[in-house]
Amino acid sequence: TDLYQLAVESKKNYNLDLSMFERLVRVYKFQAHTLSHQRRMRPCVSALISSIYPQLQDHAQVLEYPDVQGTNANVFFFDHNHPEGGELDDESLSKVNEFEVLMVVKFARYLLLQGYGPGDITILTPYLGQLKRLKTLMSETTMIFVDERDEEDLRKLHGRAEAADADAPDIPEEEP
């Protein structure tokens, strides 16, 4: 197919597996500089990427970040065995993990009770369906901000849902 002609596997050397930055550096010999000091991540976060960026140093300002209030760690990972859902009942074919959504919403509410404001809390999710669910639940508690690109994706998703509803046959409601 035409799509395969452009695919990396086609061996046509279109270099579609290279980002624009990689093309500038590798193909056009653009001079690149690697960041030597980072000024955003806590040291416990930057340590997670030290094997990828061994020369990256923490700036002094990140050493003075206060501990996250109400927790016993500044970074922690959460593991569970609750599978994603949403593929079959969501027209976006996006994933939603209701357990994760509820856990994140409850944790965000807990942070609000610790004195943090909505602008101090960032929730990242890779799934549009999960973003939609998070937005619905979080808006019941506080003001939320969604990136304009994600907001556009949500509008498109909502438009597809309305179109699917319009295409569905009218089913008369049963009388009691």
Side-chain angles (χ1 to χ4, degrees):
T1 68
D2 290 338
L3 186 58
Y4 179 76
Q5 295 293 327
L6 295 176
V8 174
E9 294 82 16
S10 72
K11 309 282 191 243
K12 300 274 186 184
N13 294 323
Y14 290 119
N15 296 323
L16 296 179
D17 58 333
L18 295 179
S19 69
M20 179 61 81
F21 178 77
E22 289 173 304
R23 288 174 195 233
L24 287 171
V25 172
R26 292 182 188 178
V27 179
Y28 297 103
K29 307 301 181 210
F30 192 83
Q31 188 175 7
H33 300 277
T34 303
L35 183 67
S36 62
H37 286 80
Q38 66 86 17
R39 298 171 183 254
R40 292 190 177 194
M41 294 179 278
R42 294 176 176 278
C44 55
V45 175
S46 66
L48 297 172
I49 61 168
S50 63
S51 64
I52 300 170
Y53 299 103
Q55 76 290 350
L56 186 63
Q57 299 293 312
D58 296 322
H59 188 273
Q61 75 185 32
V62 303
L63 302 175
E64 299 181 21
Y65 286 168
D67 288 336
V68 177
Q69 297 174 37
T71 66
N72 61 1
N74 291 315
V75 174
F76 48 95
F77 294 91
F78 182 75
D79 187 26
H80 65 81
N81 59 2
H82 299 270
E84 284 84 10
E87 289 183 303
L88 301 176
D89 59 349
D90 185 4
E91 59 283 337
S92 72
L93 300 178
S94 182
K95 304 262 186 201
V96 177
N97 188 306
E98 190 68 17
F99 178 80
E100 290 175 1
V101 168
L102 294 174
M103 186 270 307
V104 167
V105 168
K106 288 177 183 178
F107 185 62
R109 288 177 181 161
Y110 176 77
L111 291 174
L112 291 169
L113 292 173
Q114 301 308 307
Y116 291 101
D120 297 323
I121 301 169
T122 300
I123 300 172
L124 302 173
T125 180
Y127 304 130
L128 187 58
Q130 192 139 320
L131 173 61
K132 179 181 174 185
R133 185 75 176 120
L134 282 164
K135 183 179 175 191
T136 299
L137 291 179
M138 287 302 300
S139 64
E140 295 172 1
T141 302
T142 187
M143 183 184 308
I144 60 168
F145 304 94
V146 176
D147 178 86
E148 61 191 30
R149 292 167 293 188
D150 291 329
E151 194 65 57
E152 178 62 26
D153 288 342
L154 287 172
R155 278 194 291 277
K156 288 177 186 174
L157 174 64
H158 184 70
R160 283 197 300 263
E162 286 180 350
D165 288 344
D167 291 341
D170 288 334
I171 300 173
E173 293 184 23
E174 293 182 21
E175 294 187 28

